[in-house]
């Protein structure tokens, strides 16, 4: 799922191409992507783009008279830009937004249709789509720690909860926790003040660093290869590969539709966290320490 760094770069490129432009037409290739009925989507045609915003992990095209197109890419949704006359992406297209000099396409790979489009009127209607997560860059260490301690959540779950923090998902939470040298299953409410402060700094560093990296990788070209996995990542998507800091193999815990990637030596004092499925299968043979794997 595109997260804060990816969404920020999307927003910056959309501002360059769309700000001040008139939206001529919105076309739905898949009617189920639209999750609102009032105002009718046709009302967007002929309106000028006055702002492009990030709302958590959503992208907002603000139009004249407080009309808002709100795009949530979810897991496999992506945005693609084609200059006027360019070839459309094809069967993966869910919706298209036509301007005089090009077309913005909302696409989604795979068979599951999770990406969504809302068209709403008024700031209050837009605010209703905001899950309420706070911008970590606007928080000081004490405010961050207080937010982290809400509920009895692990730090991994707290970081990725859109009601607590804005724009952080599975990929960058792995990188943040690795940089902070914290177990993904440490409880946010029990973190020592020094650990919470270190985590706060790690959040800001990882998100700002990756935003800048993606800007540089993309350059002037519209971002087409948005992915949750990058070669420069320390642990996310690197199961079994060496940790860049200590060389120990990166570990992984799979749960529900998600996973946590971590370095046992850097983050859990060498302890291997139990994977529910594998630990049940192996019982006493389940290794307890990273050195037992080496």
């Amino acid at each position: 799922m595109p997260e804060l760094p990816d969404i920020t770069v999307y927003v910056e490129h959309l501002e360059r191409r769309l700000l001040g432009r008139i939206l001529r037409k919105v076309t739905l290739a898949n009617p189920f992507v639209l999750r609102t009925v009032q105002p009718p989507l046709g009302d967007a045609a002929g309106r000028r783009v006055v702002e492009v915003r990030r709302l958590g992990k959503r992208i907002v095209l603000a139009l004249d008279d407080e009309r808002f197109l709100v795009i949530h890419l979810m897991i496999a949704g992506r945005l693609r830009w084609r200059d006027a006359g360019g070839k459309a992406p094809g069967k993966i297209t869910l919706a298209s937004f036509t301007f005089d000099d090009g077309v913005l396409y909302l696409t989604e790979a795979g068979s599951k249709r999770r990406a969504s489009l809302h068209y709403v009127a008024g700031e209050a209607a837009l605010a209703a789509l905001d899950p309420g997560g706070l911008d970590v860059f606007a928080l000081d260490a004490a405010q961050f720690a207080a937010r982290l301690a809400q509920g009895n959540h692990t730090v991994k779950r707290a970081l990725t909860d859109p009601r607590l923090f804005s724009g952080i998902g599975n990929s960058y939470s792995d990188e943040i926790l690795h940089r902070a040298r914290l177990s993904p299953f440490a409880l946010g409410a029990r973190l020592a003040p020094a650990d919470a402060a270190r985590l706060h700094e790690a959040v800001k560093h990882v998100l700002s660093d990756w935003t800048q990296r993606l800007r540089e990788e993309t350059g002037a070209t519209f971002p087409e290869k948005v992915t949750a996995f990058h070669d420069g990542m320390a642990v996310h998507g690197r199961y079994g590969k060496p940790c860049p800091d200590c060389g120990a193999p990166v570990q992984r815990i799979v749960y529900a539709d998600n996973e946590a990637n971590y370095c046992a030596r850097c983050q859990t004092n060498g302890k291997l966290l139990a994977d529910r499925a594998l630990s049940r299968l192996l019982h006493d043979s389940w290794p307890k320490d990273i050195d037992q794997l080496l």
Side-chain angles (χ1 to χ4, degrees):
M1 178 184 294
E3 302 174 31
L4 186 149
D6 315 274
I7 298 299
T8 299
V9 174
Y10 264 142
V11 166
E12 291 171 351
H13 279 267
L14 290 171
E15 284 178 334
R16 295 171 198 161
R17 288 165 175 80
L18 305 184
L19 208 56
R21 305 292 199 279
I22 294 175
L23 175 61
R24 298 300 181 185
K25 181 174 64 173
V26 182
T27 304
L28 294 180
N30 186 319
F32 297 104
V33 71
L34 182 63
R35 306 299 169 82
T36 53
V37 294
Q38 287 295 332
L41 189 59
D43 173 76
R47 295 186 182 275
R48 189 179 304 274
V49 177
V50 296
E51 187 183 5
V52 184
R53 306 182 193 174
R54 179 181 68 84
L55 184 69
K57 296 174 190 171
R58 295 167 170 83
I59 294 169
V60 180
L61 302 183
L63 308 177
D64 291 328
D65 298 325
E66 290 195 352
R67 299 294 196 269
F68 303 97
L69 287 161
V70 185
I71 300 168
H72 197 340
L73 299 172
M74 294 298 290
I75 301 294
R78 298 293 184 268
L79 295 177
R80 303 174 192 276
W81 174 262
R82 297 290 184 269
D83 291 333
K87 184 178 180 181
K91 294 182 180 179
I92 60 173
T93 297
L94 300 180
S96 60
F97 309 86
T98 303
F99 297 84
D100 289 334
D101 53 355
V103 182
L104 178 67
Y105 292 94
L106 169 59
T107 68
E108 187 171 25
S111 58
K112 294 182 179 179
R113 291 292 173 256
R114 296 175 176 173
S116 65
L117 171 66
H118 291 73
Y119 182 55
V120 298
E123 290 284 353
L126 178 63
L129 297 175
D130 185 352
L134 299 182
D135 179 358
V136 293
F137 293 99
L139 303 176
D140 61 26
Q143 291 169 327
F144 176 80
R147 195 74 168 178
L148 195 67
Q150 290 186 10
N152 191 31
H153 300 318
T154 65
V155 287
K156 170 80 171 179
R157 182 180 172 188
L159 287 174
T160 58
D161 188 338
R163 297 165 297 181
L164 296 179
F165 300 106
S166 174
I168 306 172
N170 192 51
S171 303
Y172 291 105
S173 63
D174 282 347
E175 297 300 290
I176 288 164
L177 290 167
H178 178 264
R179 182 173 180 83
R181 298 297 190 259
L182 288 173
S183 166
F185 290 162
L187 292 177
R190 296 184 183 178
L191 282 188
D195 290 336
R198 190 170 70 253
L199 180 59
H200 183 224
E201 288 303 313
V203 172
K204 294 188 292 183
H205 177 90
V206 168
L207 294 180
S208 59
D209 178 63
W210 274 102
T211 299
Q212 186 58 33
R213 288 196 198 191
L214 296 179
R215 283 182 182 130
E216 293 172 359
E217 289 176 8
T218 303
T221 305
F222 193 84
E224 290 278 340
K225 296 180 180 180
V226 176
T227 176
F229 307 100
H230 298 277
D231 290 339
M233 285 185 161
V235 291
H236 185 74
R238 293 180 53 82
Y239 174 61
K241 296 180 180 179
C243 166
D245 292 346
C246 74
V250 170
Q251 301 301 303
R252 177 178 66 189
I253 299 173
V254 179
Y255 52 97
D257 291 331
N258 227 328
E259 65 180 54
N261 301 264
Y262 70 100
C263 173
R265 186 166 288 159
C266 292
Q267 296 176 246
T268 61
N269 294 317
K271 179 182 178 181
L272 293 177
L273 303 177
D275 179 288
R276 291 181 182 178
L278 285 177
S279 59
R280 284 198 195 103
L281 178 66
L282 296 177
H283 294 290
D284 293 338
S285 297
W286 176 256
K288 301 298 190 293
D289 190 274
I290 187 64
D291 291 328
Q292 293 179 279
L293 293 178
L294 303 177

